[in-house]
Amino acid sequence: MLPLNDRRLFQPTPLADALAALADQHGGRGRAAPDAREFAGRPHSYELLNQYAAGQQWRALALAAEATIQATPIQSASDEAAVLRLWTYRALALVRLAHAAAAMRELQAVEAATRGASVYARFRARAPTVVWPFELRVLRAQLPGLAHGDWRRTCERVCALLRACERRAGDANAQRRFRLQMLLAGAVLRLRDAALAAALLARLDAADDPRVLSACARLHLQLGSLPHAELLFRRVEACVPADDKLLLMNRAMYAVAAGKWAVARDLFARVASDPLGEPHVAAANNAAVCELFLGSPQRMLAQLQLLMADSPTAAGSAAELVFNYCTALDLLHDGPALLAEKSRKIADVATWAGDGFDTSAFKMQ
């Protein structure tokens, strides 16, 4: 039985970064790979780990979490809990680096180690003490889909966590339940089994949170069930103000599904242009995409350029926006001019984006 801090539980940490390599090829400068030797052999504070996560320095976080796990002695149940909390940082970093399969292998090894520790505890006639933190259980639930496209298994695991939350009262569990419902909605969208998707959506339809109902309705839109989506949207409208951004986004999404692009554009623009609120990047991006479907890739490109310039960290390094921007470039340029424009965008994104950026957004093939 391996202890939870054993080095044999770890997969090799990926240090290469696709965006950095692409930026080097196109005249930009990506983040340099961290030196593993600077992290090894010593623990790192939670403050530093959180700084790495906030800065999207996922390679550094993976190395620091590994070193801290290995440097943390395990002599009590509280030590076990601390190490499992550190495993959450490690698994999150690997997922964000697009190495979900490695994260899954590591957590399978951790699961075997904790199972062995529980058996040993029962053998010693004491209660098992190894309990995974909630965040780590959520990551474990997501990994089958992220690593192998097994979204059915992910749905099963999320549903199991939901059932556990529903058996308990309290604000903390209500927040957990909402988060799991949103995760389930996202996983349902990736299922290729229409009957299972419908059954899981029926579970979400019973929710009373307008955010969950909105997510469920938007899934019905994507599945082509506009009447069902409309019923859920009406339930949302009954419990939120008429000018609520959630309601306006719902109406815009319904207009998109109905092919009413001008209506959708105006609603998205209304959400995005709120002078009293935070920038709504998703709404602004959607408004720009509507311009494309209205026959104006030039307006789409101009709006995305402005959005990325105004919010470089939130919008300028968002893969979906970069993909839409490069789609507009493909429609308006070709040959050396197209390559020059994309090279500039690669250099810009490399300035703001963190590790693990999906470089397929540049559409370089």
Side-chain angles (χ1 to χ4, degrees):
M1 181 181 69
L2 296 178
L4 293 174
N5 58 0
D6 194 284
R7 68 178 61 250
R8 288 170 289 181
L9 298 175
F10 293 89
Q11 299 288 309
T13 299
L15 296 180
D17 183 71
L19 178 58
L22 193 61
D24 289 342
Q25 295 173 20
H26 292 270
R29 178 177 295 179
R31 290 183 178 181
D35 187 344
R37 295 170 297 183
E38 296 180 1
F39 295 85
R42 60 188 176 90
H44 302 266
S45 68
Y46 281 113
E47 181 181 5
L48 186 59
L49 296 178
N50 289 328
Q51 287 178 7
Y52 288 144
Q56 300 182 55
Q57 296 175 259
W58 304 118
R59 291 174 291 177
L61 180 60
L63 292 168
E66 178 180 1
T68 306
I69 290 168
Q70 293 181 13
T72 302
I74 300 178
Q75 299 175 339
S76 66
S78 61
D79 293 336
E80 290 174 341
V83 169
L84 284 169
R85 182 182 175 192
L86 291 167
W87 273 107
T88 305
Y89 285 96
R90 170 69 180 183
L92 173 64
L94 291 177
V95 168
R96 293 301 179 87
L97 289 169
H99 286 267
M104 190 169 183
R105 288 192 292 270
E106 288 191 354
L107 289 194
Q108 286 171 340
V110 171
E111 193 170 3
T114 52
R115 190 183 303 118
S118 296
V119 170
Y120 179 73
R122 287 196 294 272
F123 178 75
R124 295 290 299 273
R126 62 181 177 87
T129 58
V130 184
V131 178
W132 283 32
F134 177 73
E135 295 295 335
L136 191 57
R137 283 178 281 161
V138 170
L139 280 169
R140 174 185 174 274
Q142 293 175 278
L143 284 174
L146 294 173
H148 304 300
D150 188 355
W151 294 104
R152 176 188 289 268
R153 183 62 174 155
T154 284
C155 287
E156 291 172 354
R157 289 183 174 183
V158 174
C159 284
L161 291 175
L162 259 174
R163 287 193 293 270
C165 284
E166 288 167 351
R167 289 194 292 267
R168 300 180 180 181
D171 291 341
N173 268 294
Q175 288 297 318
R176 289 180 174 184
R177 188 165 61 251
F178 164 70
R179 182 177 169 194
L180 290 168
Q181 287 170 330
M182 296 301 284
L183 282 175
L184 181 59
V188 166
L189 181 60
R190 296 171 179 259
L191 285 172
R192 297 183 178 179
D193 185 327
L196 179 58
L200 291 171
L201 282 174
R203 177 190 181 116
L204 292 176
D205 285 352
D208 55 8
D209 189 307
R211 295 167 297 179
V212 177
L213 287 175
S214 295
C216 190
R218 294 176 193 181
L219 284 171
H220 281 294
L221 288 180
Q222 295 188 56
L223 293 172
S225 180
L226 271 66
H228 201 147
E230 185 176 6
L231 289 174
L232 294 178
F233 282 147
R234 287 179 178 173
R235 286 174 59 188
V236 174
E237 292 185 1
C239 58
V240 300
D243 60 349
D244 190 273
K245 287 185 177 181
L246 180 63
L247 185 150
L248 294 175
M249 287 291 285
N250 287 345
R251 290 177 178 172
M253 293 292 188
Y254 189 87
V256 167
K260 299 178 179 179
W261 296 104
V263 173
R265 176 199 59 196
D266 294 344
L267 287 167
F268 285 132
R270 184 176 167 188
V271 174
S273 62
D274 181 1
L276 301 178
E278 292 293 321
H280 202 300
V281 172
N285 175 55
N286 289 342
V289 172
C290 288
E291 295 289 3
L292 175 63
F293 284 93
L294 288 168
S296 181
Q298 297 89 344
R299 290 181 63 112
M300 174 184 173
L301 184 62
Q303 290 185 20
L304 290 176
Q305 285 174 328
L306 181 61
L307 176 60
M308 291 175 169
D310 288 345
S311 304
T313 54
S317 59
E320 182 180 359
L321 269 73
V322 172
F323 179 87
N324 291 336
Y325 181 89
C326 291
T327 297
L329 290 179
D330 287 341
L331 293 171
L332 296 171
H333 302 281
D334 58 16
L338 176 61
L339 180 59
E341 291 289 343
K342 288 192 176 182
S343 294
R344 278 193 287 271
K345 180 50 61 180
I346 290 168
D348 288 344
V349 173
T351 302
W352 300 104
D355 297 337
F357 183 86
D358 183 2
T359 56
S360 67
F362 296 111
K363 305 177 73 173
M364 295 299 290
Q365 298 297 330

